[in-house]
Amino acid sequence: MAESNETRLARFTGWFRRRPTSLEFWELLVTDRRVVWCFVGESFKSLLLRADIGERGRREVERSSAERALALDDRNFAVELESLQSVQLREGSRFRRTALTVTWRDDDASTSVELYGTRSSDSQVDVVEALAEEPALSHVDIGVETSGRLL
């Protein structure tokens, strides 16, 4: 299918994934065909060396089509919407970061990735709520878990 036939539905921005020795920064583009996972940077977990270095990559992803964003880094990948099972956002609080969990079916098994909001990211509850209304995602379990905001 041609790139011009793909419509962007949403963009999740300002997310990171914890790895054993580093933090990986990711952006997600949701289109009417797929979810494109875009690697935008990596930082060490050490408090002395930690930094959010994904800002340049975020700007590049924002300006790119889904096809172009997919080609920006070898670690980028896409999940077809038919494989998507759930998108769950847990709102953060004073002591807990906002978390986004995306689950999809991959070769007869489920894959689940949990991302955390950076300090500068918005809650993006509105993005999740808008996706819940999308006909292309009617088969996907989409939800927001709110917190009391204190703990």
Side-chain angles (χ1 to χ4, degrees), residues 63-125:
R63 293 189 299 258
S64 297
S65 66
E67 198 62 38
R68 169 82 176 110
L70 190 57
L72 290 174
D73 192 279
D74 290 341
R75 290 167 274 206
N76 294 359
F77 64 96
V79 174
E80 297 298 319
L81 284 192
E82 295 83 34
S83 300
L84 200 59
Q85 294 178 312
S86 86
V87 176
Q88 299 295 319
L89 181 78
R90 184 190 73 220
E91 277 194 302
S93 67
R94 173 177 276 172
F95 301 109
R96 183 176 72 179
R97 287 190 184 274
T98 300
L100 178 69
T101 305
V102 181
T103 306
W104 64 92
R105 199 119 190 83
D106 188 24
D107 297 329
D108 298 325
S110 284
T111 300
S112 188
V113 174
E114 187 169 49
L115 302 172
Y116 299 94
T118 61
R119 292 193 193 282
S120 61
S121 69
D122 296 328
S123 79
Q124 299 178 45
V125 169

